[in-house]
Amino acid sequence: MPAKKPSSEFRILALSGGGYLGLYTAVVLAELEQRVGEPLGRRFDLIAGTSVGGLLAMALAFEVPMARIVELFVQRGQEVFSSRRLPGSAVSRLFDMTRSVLGPKYSGEALRRELTQHFGDKTLGDALHAVVVPAVDVRRSVTKIFKTPHAQASLGDGGLSAVDVTLATCAAPAYFPCVAVGDRLYADGGLFAVAPDQVALHEAELFMGAKPARVRMLSVGTATMGYQPASQVEADAGAVGWLTDGRLILTMIAVQQQHVQAVMEDRLQERYLRLDAPWPARAGLGIDIATPEAAHTLSALGRQTLVQTDAQWLLDFL
């Protein structure tokens, strides 16, 4: 692809959440970065990401090569999550659910180590590109948008640790512990904004002076388009029924992304492009399933998405 040309458009990249499913997103971004021949963050005026999308957004903001992030998923995914497959029998599913009854499934320490290797002691003020990352202040039950200090009208959180902010947006309840940032305690921004597209447009319009008529947004999902539960849905399902195979959280991820896509298509029309892949039936995927088989499936879906997307149309968003 040719080098970026001056443009009167305001370009936004929005990255959805979904735990290990974010490998799909990372593969898409790595391929795009290879195509443009430079750090992908340079092609956008604002980057937004929630949960694992927040991790990717922060990496882009600091110009960490996306190929390295793909390696992080593939090589360290089983340390951050586990090597187990999706539970098969009813007994194994029930046992898996009990792992998070008294505390989170995972400590988050492996993820902190990996992030520290990439970000060190850098703060949001050190970022090379503007970024917004949603989280939830759990003690006060209020939303929080972490921001780089990219606009006079929105000075952001320049002094905060990039590692802490990334961990905060990734802190999915029952999966990872909440994260202290300053004197606040935060959990995953996916509780209210799995797809941060509207958060990004609001930031661009109200704080960065971008007119919606000149905003162009590329949005990347986590291969949950058209998600349907693998097992039969019962009208009177309780906690076991809703939590089996991650049904509750996957439903929340899928429908939030679906709704946001519909709203953004109405608002931006042809200036909005959503990249996602259909949820593969019986593929053994989940937000914390980091098996080699899951990595292969998600990587293949990412590459397939770009093969099926018109290259010239995609270039308009880069």
Side-chain angles (χ1 to χ4, degrees), residues 263-299:
V263 171
M264 299 308 296
E265 287 176 345
D266 286 342
R267 292 207 62 187
L268 299 181
Q269 300 178 19
E270 74 281 354
R271 289 172 287 104
Y272 178 80
L273 174 60
R274 173 77 170 174
L275 300 179
D276 206 353
W279 180 260
R282 296 180 296 279
L285 298 180
I287 70 165
D288 64 334
I289 304 300
T291 62
E293 293 83 359
H296 175 78
T297 298
L298 292 166
S299 298

Side-chain angles (χ1 to χ4, degrees), residues 87-112:
S89 67
V91 173
S92 63
R93 290 172 180 173
L94 185 60
F95 175 75
D96 183 64
M97 283 186 282
T98 63
R99 295 171 63 209
S100 58
V101 170
L102 299 179
K105 279 187 176 183
Y106 311 107
S107 69
E109 288 306 311
L111 182 56
R112 178 178 286 277

Side-chain angles (χ1 to χ4, degrees), residues 155-291:
L155 296 178
D157 306 284
L160 297 182
S161 159
V163 170
D164 288 346
V165 168
T166 304
L167 287 169
T169 192
C170 290
Y175 288 89
F176 291 105
C178 295
V179 176
V181 183
D183 60 352
R184 304 291 187 190
L185 195 62
Y186 293 99
D188 197 318
L191 289 171
F192 74 99
V194 165
D197 308 39
Q198 290 174 285
V199 171
L201 184 59
H202 179 81
E203 181 73 15
E205 184 178 2
L206 268 71
F207 300 114
M208 301 178 75
K211 302 297 182 184
R214 71 180 188 91
V215 169
R216 187 178 290 272
M217 182 183 296
L218 176 63
S219 176
V220 188
T222 46
T224 53
M225 185 170 62
Y227 163 77
Q228 293 182 2
S231 55
Q232 184 176 354
V233 175
E234 303 292 345
D236 57 352
V240 172
W242 272 103
L243 298 177
T244 295
D245 298 339
R247 174 187 160 198
L248 176 61
I249 193 165
L250 286 170
T251 299
M252 291 174 61
I253 290 172
V255 299
Q256 281 198 48
Q257 293 188 38
Q258 177 191 98
H259 172 71
V260 167
Q261 178 178 351
V263 171
M264 299 308 296
E265 287 176 345
D266 286 342
R267 292 207 62 187
L268 299 181
Q269 300 178 19
E270 74 281 354
R271 289 172 287 104
Y272 178 80
L273 174 60
R274 173 77 170 174
L275 300 179
D276 206 353
W279 180 260
R282 296 180 296 279
L285 298 180
I287 70 165
D288 64 334
I289 304 300
T291 62

Side-chain angles (χ1 to χ4, degrees), residues 15-165:
L15 307 172
S16 297
Y20 193 75
L21 300 174
L23 172 56
Y24 164 85
T25 320
V27 168
V28 169
L29 297 174
E31 174 64 23
L32 293 178
E33 192 163 75
Q34 183 178 33
R35 291 187 186 186
V36 301
E38 67 176 348
L40 193 60
R42 299 178 187 178
R43 296 297 179 108
F44 297 95
D45 300 291
L46 178 64
I47 306 168
T50 300
S51 193
V52 69
L55 185 158
L56 294 167
M58 293 291 285
L60 288 167
F62 284 93
E63 296 191 353
V64 177
M66 285 295 101
R68 287 175 58 188
I69 301 302
V70 171
E71 291 178 3
L72 169 62
F73 277 91
V74 175
Q75 298 178 6
R76 298 287 185 263
Q78 295 188 16
E79 295 177 25
V80 174
F81 295 104
S82 72
S83 59
R84 69 176 181 81
R85 289 172 170 77
L86 200 65
S89 67
V91 173
S92 63
R93 290 172 180 173
L94 185 60
F95 175 75
D96 183 64
M97 283 186 282
T98 63
R99 295 171 63 209
S100 58
V101 170
L102 299 179
K105 279 187 176 183
Y106 311 107
S107 69
E109 288 306 311
L111 182 56
R112 178 178 286 277
R113 286 196 302 270
E114 294 300 326
L115 292 176
T116 301
Q117 286 188 20
H118 292 293
F119 300 141
D121 58 359
K122 293 179 180 178
T123 67
L124 292 191
D126 297 320
L128 301 173
H129 306 289
V131 66
V132 291
V133 176
V136 173
D137 180 336
V138 292
R139 289 194 178 114
R140 299 189 300 158
S141 295
V142 297
T143 61
K144 166 65 178 178
I145 308 298
F146 290 107
K147 307 177 185 182
T148 50
H150 49 253
Q152 281 300 114
S154 183
L155 296 178
D157 306 284
L160 297 182
S161 159
V163 170
D164 288 346
V165 168

